[in-house]
PDB file of all heavy atoms in Angstrom:
ATOM      1  N   LYS K 315     -14.776  -7.672  28.099  1.00  0.00           N
ATOM      2  CA  LYS K 315     -16.179  -8.097  27.997  1.00  0.00           C
ATOM      3  C   LYS K 315     -17.056  -6.897  28.217  1.00  0.00           C
ATOM      4  O   LYS K 315     -16.841  -6.104  29.149  1.00  0.00           O
ATOM      5  CB  LYS K 315     -16.411  -9.142  28.994  1.00  0.00           C
ATOM      6  CG  LYS K 315     -17.714  -9.992  28.753  1.00  0.00           C
ATOM      7  CD  LYS K 315     -17.811 -11.093  29.792  1.00  0.00           C
ATOM      8  CE  LYS K 315     -19.139 -11.772  29.824  1.00  0.00           C
ATOM      9  NZ  LYS K 315     -20.313 -10.904  29.756  1.00  0.00           N
ATOM     10  N   ALA K 316     -18.070  -6.754  27.423  1.00  0.00           N
ATOM     11  CA  ALA K 316     -19.090  -5.593  27.612  1.00  0.00           C
ATOM     12  C   ALA K 316     -19.767  -5.741  28.942  1.00  0.00           C
ATOM     13  O   ALA K 316     -20.178  -6.782  29.358  1.00  0.00           O
ATOM     14  CB  ALA K 316     -20.092  -5.557  26.497  1.00  0.00           C
ATOM     15  N   VAL K 317     -19.886  -4.586  29.691  1.00  0.00           N
ATOM     16  CA  VAL K 317     -20.613  -4.501  30.937  1.00  0.00           C
ATOM     17  C   VAL K 317     -22.117  -4.431  30.548  1.00  0.00           C
ATOM     18  O   VAL K 317     -22.946  -5.036  31.272  1.00  0.00           O
ATOM     19  CB  VAL K 317     -20.275  -3.221  31.637  1.00  0.00           C
ATOM     20  CG1 VAL K 317     -21.154  -2.985  32.888  1.00  0.00           C
ATOM     21  CG2 VAL K 317     -18.746  -3.291  32.150  1.00  0.00           C
ATOM     22  N   VAL K 318     -22.472  -3.747  29.463  1.00  0.00           N
ATOM     23  CA  VAL K 318     -23.867  -3.528  29.092  1.00  0.00           C
ATOM     24  C   VAL K 318     -24.164  -4.714  28.076  1.00  0.00           C
ATOM     25  O   VAL K 318     -23.543  -4.780  27.061  1.00  0.00           O
ATOM     26  CB  VAL K 318     -24.085  -2.256  28.362  1.00  0.00           C
ATOM     27  CG1 VAL K 318     -25.555  -2.014  27.961  1.00  0.00           C
ATOM     28  CG2 VAL K 318     -23.645  -1.091  29.323  1.00  0.00           C
ATOM     29  N   GLU K 319     -25.071  -5.549  28.532  1.00  0.00           N
ATOM     30  CA  GLU K 319     -25.466  -6.697  27.649  1.00  0.00           C
ATOM     31  C   GLU K 319     -26.700  -6.332  26.838  1.00  0.00           C
ATOM     32  O   GLU K 319     -27.768  -6.233  27.429  1.00  0.00           O
ATOM     33  CB  GLU K 319     -25.629  -7.980  28.475  1.00  0.00           C
ATOM     34  CG  GLU K 319     -24.342  -8.554  28.938  1.00  0.00           C
ATOM     35  CD  GLU K 319     -24.510  -9.825  29.692  1.00  0.00           C
ATOM     36  OE1 GLU K 319     -25.434 -10.586  29.433  1.00  0.00           O
ATOM     37  OE2 GLU K 319     -23.625 -10.112  30.556  1.00  0.00           O
ATOM     38  N   GLU K 320     -26.493  -6.147  25.500  1.00  0.00           N
ATOM     39  CA  GLU K 320     -27.648  -5.868  24.694  1.00  0.00           C
ATOM     40  C   GLU K 320     -27.196  -6.114  23.217  1.00  0.00           C
ATOM     41  O   GLU K 320     -26.055  -6.239  22.989  1.00  0.00           O
ATOM     42  CB  GLU K 320     -28.080  -4.381  24.787  1.00  0.00           C
ATOM     43  CG  GLU K 320     -27.014  -3.410  24.309  1.00  0.00           C
ATOM     44  CD  GLU K 320     -27.444  -1.936  24.525  1.00  0.00           C
ATOM     45  OE1 GLU K 320     -28.641  -1.709  24.732  1.00  0.00           O
ATOM     46  OE2 GLU K 320     -26.522  -1.080  24.412  1.00  0.00           O
ATOM     47  N   ASP K 321     -28.148  -6.276  22.369  1.00  0.00           N
ATOM     48  CA  ASP K 321     -27.805  -6.538  20.944  1.00  0.00           C
ATOM     49  C   ASP K 321     -27.414  -5.167  20.312  1.00  0.00           C
ATOM     50  O   ASP K 321     -28.274  -4.289  20.249  1.00  0.00           O
ATOM     51  CB  ASP K 321     -28.950  -7.193  20.184  1.00  0.00           C
ATOM     52  CG  ASP K 321     -28.557  -7.490  18.728  1.00  0.00           C
ATOM     53  OD1 ASP K 321     -27.389  -7.311  18.361  1.00  0.00           O
ATOM     54  OD2 ASP K 321     -29.551  -7.786  17.939  1.00  0.00           O
ATOM     55  N   ILE K 322     -26.157  -5.062  19.903  1.00  0.00           N
ATOM     56  CA  ILE K 322     -25.790  -3.783  19.234  1.00  0.00           C
ATOM     57  C   ILE K 322     -25.589  -4.000  17.744  1.00  0.00           C
ATOM     58  O   ILE K 322     -25.216  -3.054  17.041  1.00  0.00           O
ATOM     59  CB  ILE K 322     -24.490  -3.186  19.873  1.00  0.00           C
ATOM     60  CG1 ILE K 322     -23.332  -4.230  19.866  1.00  0.00           C
ATOM     61  CG2 ILE K 322     -24.752  -2.761  21.369  1.00  0.00           C
ATOM     62  CD1 ILE K 322     -21.980  -3.609  20.024  1.00  0.00           C
ATOM     63  N   ASP K 323     -25.732  -5.232  17.270  1.00  0.00           N
ATOM     64  CA  ASP K 323     -25.362  -5.518  15.931  1.00  0.00           C
ATOM     65  C   ASP K 323     -26.480  -5.423  14.860  1.00  0.00           C
ATOM     66  O   ASP K 323     -26.326  -4.923  13.817  1.00  0.00           O
ATOM     67  CB  ASP K 323     -24.731  -6.894  15.826  1.00  0.00           C
ATOM     68  CG  ASP K 323     -23.365  -6.875  16.552  1.00  0.00           C
ATOM     69  OD1 ASP K 323     -22.679  -5.888  16.393  1.00  0.00           O
ATOM     70  OD2 ASP K 323     -22.991  -7.844  17.153  1.00  0.00           O
ATOM     71  N   GLY K 324     -27.710  -5.913  15.273  1.00  0.00           N
ATOM     72  CA  GLY K 324     -28.834  -5.779  14.302  1.00  0.00           C
ATOM     73  C   GLY K 324     -29.136  -7.127  13.680  1.00  0.00           C
ATOM     74  O   GLY K 324     -28.418  -8.108  13.902  1.00  0.00           O
ATOM     75  N   TRP K 325     -30.130  -7.001  12.799  1.00  0.00           N
ATOM     76  CA  TRP K 325     -30.901  -5.883  12.355  1.00  0.00           C
ATOM     77  C   TRP K 325     -31.784  -5.331  13.475  1.00  0.00           C
ATOM     78  O   TRP K 325     -32.631  -6.070  13.999  1.00  0.00           O
ATOM     79  CB  TRP K 325     -31.671  -6.166  11.093  1.00  0.00           C
ATOM     80  CG  TRP K 325     -30.815  -6.641  10.064  1.00  0.00           C
ATOM     81  CD1 TRP K 325     -30.347  -7.898   9.853  1.00  0.00           C
ATOM     82  CD2 TRP K 325     -30.248  -5.850   8.988  1.00  0.00           C
ATOM     83  NE1 TRP K 325     -29.593  -7.966   8.714  1.00  0.00           N
ATOM     84  CE2 TRP K 325     -29.497  -6.712   8.186  1.00  0.00           C
ATOM     85  CE3 TRP K 325     -30.351  -4.499   8.635  1.00  0.00           C
ATOM     86  CZ2 TRP K 325     -28.721  -6.263   7.089  1.00  0.00           C
ATOM     87  CZ3 TRP K 325     -29.558  -4.052   7.558  1.00  0.00           C
ATOM     88  CH2 TRP K 325     -28.839  -4.901   6.755  1.00  0.00           C
ATOM     89  N   LEU K 326     -31.693  -4.100  13.823  1.00  0.00           N
ATOM     90  CA  LEU K 326     -32.358  -3.466  14.996  1.00  0.00           C
ATOM     91  C   LEU K 326     -33.517  -2.526  14.493  1.00  0.00           C
ATOM     92  O   LEU K 326     -33.308  -1.796  13.528  1.00  0.00           O
ATOM     93  CB  LEU K 326     -31.386  -2.672  15.896  1.00  0.00           C
ATOM     94  CG  LEU K 326     -30.130  -3.400  16.327  1.00  0.00           C
ATOM     95  CD1 LEU K 326     -29.110  -2.444  16.971  1.00  0.00           C
ATOM     96  CD2 LEU K 326     -30.454  -4.513  17.388  1.00  0.00           C
ATOM     97  N   THR K 327     -34.604  -2.474  15.254  1.00  0.00           N
ATOM     98  CA  THR K 327     -35.682  -1.559  14.834  1.00  0.00           C
ATOM     99  C   THR K 327     -35.410  -0.155  15.348  1.00  0.00           C
ATOM    100  O   THR K 327     -36.002   0.825  14.861  1.00  0.00           O
ATOM    101  CB  THR K 327     -37.034  -2.069  15.439  1.00  0.00           C
ATOM    102  OG1 THR K 327     -36.867  -2.262  16.788  1.00  0.00           O
ATOM    103  CG2 THR K 327     -37.442  -3.352  14.778  1.00  0.00           C
ATOM    104  N   GLU K 328     -34.521   0.006  16.316  1.00  0.00           N
ATOM    105  CA  GLU K 328     -34.039   1.349  16.701  1.00  0.00           C
ATOM    106  C   GLU K 328     -32.593   1.203  17.146  1.00  0.00           C
ATOM    107  O   GLU K 328     -32.112   0.120  17.483  1.00  0.00           O
ATOM    108  CB  GLU K 328     -34.910   1.886  17.858  1.00  0.00           C
ATOM    109  CG  GLU K 328     -34.949   1.037  19.108  1.00  0.00           C
ATOM    110  CD  GLU K 328     -35.747   1.563  20.296  1.00  0.00           C
ATOM    111  OE1 GLU K 328     -36.609   2.456  20.033  1.00  0.00           O
ATOM    112  OE2 GLU K 328     -35.479   1.157  21.419  1.00  0.00           O
ATOM    113  N   LEU K 329     -31.862   2.319  17.078  1.00  0.00           N
ATOM    114  CA  LEU K 329     -30.484   2.252  17.547  1.00  0.00           C
ATOM    115  C   LEU K 329     -30.425   2.100  19.044  1.00  0.00           C
ATOM    116  O   LEU K 329     -31.292   2.606  19.738  1.00  0.00           O
ATOM    117  CB  LEU K 329     -29.830   3.605  17.117  1.00  0.00           C
ATOM    118  CG  LEU K 329     -29.719   3.795  15.573  1.00  0.00           C
ATOM    119  CD1 LEU K 329     -29.473   5.312  15.307  1.00  0.00           C
ATOM    120  CD2 LEU K 329     -28.610   2.993  15.005  1.00  0.00           C
ATOM    121  N   PRO K 330     -29.430   1.342  19.586  1.00  0.00           N
ATOM    122  CA  PRO K 330     -29.375   1.132  21.050  1.00  0.00           C
ATOM    123  C   PRO K 330     -29.513   2.452  21.818  1.00  0.00           C
ATOM    124  O   PRO K 330     -28.798   3.378  21.438  1.00  0.00           O
ATOM    125  CB  PRO K 330     -28.057   0.446  21.166  1.00  0.00           C
ATOM    126  CG  PRO K 330     -27.757  -0.272  19.882  1.00  0.00           C
ATOM    127  CD  PRO K 330     -28.343   0.666  18.872  1.00  0.00           C
ATOM    128  N   GLY K 331     -30.390   2.543  22.754  1.00  0.00           N
ATOM    129  CA  GLY K 331     -30.641   3.783  23.505  1.00  0.00           C
ATOM    130  C   GLY K 331     -31.909   4.451  22.932  1.00  0.00           C
ATOM    131  O   GLY K 331     -32.303   5.460  23.458  1.00  0.00           O
ATOM    132  N   GLY K 332     -32.500   3.866  21.889  1.00  0.00           N
ATOM    133  CA  GLY K 332     -33.754   4.371  21.417  1.00  0.00           C
ATOM    134  C   GLY K 332     -33.693   5.424  20.289  1.00  0.00           C
ATOM    135  O   GLY K 332     -34.635   6.150  20.101  1.00  0.00           O
ATOM    136  N   HIS K 333     -32.520   5.620  19.750  1.00  0.00           N
ATOM    137  CA  HIS K 333     -32.398   6.690  18.724  1.00  0.00           C
ATOM    138  C   HIS K 333     -32.846   6.208  17.403  1.00  0.00           C
ATOM    139  O   HIS K 333     -32.857   5.028  17.048  1.00  0.00           O
ATOM    140  CB  HIS K 333     -30.859   7.126  18.539  1.00  0.00           C
ATOM    141  CG  HIS K 333     -30.245   7.400  19.889  1.00  0.00           C
ATOM    142  ND1 HIS K 333     -30.413   8.596  20.473  1.00  0.00           N
ATOM    143  CD2 HIS K 333     -29.502   6.647  20.664  1.00  0.00           C
ATOM    144  CE1 HIS K 333     -29.765   8.533  21.628  1.00  0.00           C
ATOM    145  NE2 HIS K 333     -29.171   7.405  21.762  1.00  0.00           N
ATOM    146  N   GLN K 334     -33.395   7.140  16.543  1.00  0.00           N
ATOM    147  CA  GLN K 334     -33.754   6.926  15.184  1.00  0.00           C
ATOM    148  C   GLN K 334     -32.834   7.822  14.288  1.00  0.00           C
ATOM    149  O   GLN K 334     -32.427   8.908  14.761  1.00  0.00           O
ATOM    150  CB  GLN K 334     -35.221   7.164  14.902  1.00  0.00           C
ATOM    151  CG  GLN K 334     -36.180   6.199  15.594  1.00  0.00           C
ATOM    152  CD  GLN K 334     -36.102   4.759  14.959  1.00  0.00           C
ATOM    153  OE1 GLN K 334     -35.540   4.518  13.909  1.00  0.00           O
ATOM    154  NE2 GLN K 334     -36.733   3.780  15.723  1.00  0.00           N
TER     155      GLN K 334
END
Side-chain angles (χ1 to χ4, degrees):
K315 196 177 168 315
V317 172
V318 180
E319 285 183 29
E320 64 181 345
D321 182 10
I322 57 164
D323 290 325
W325 303 84
L326 306 169
T327 53
E328 58 179 20
L329 295 163
H333 311 279
Q334 292 291 348

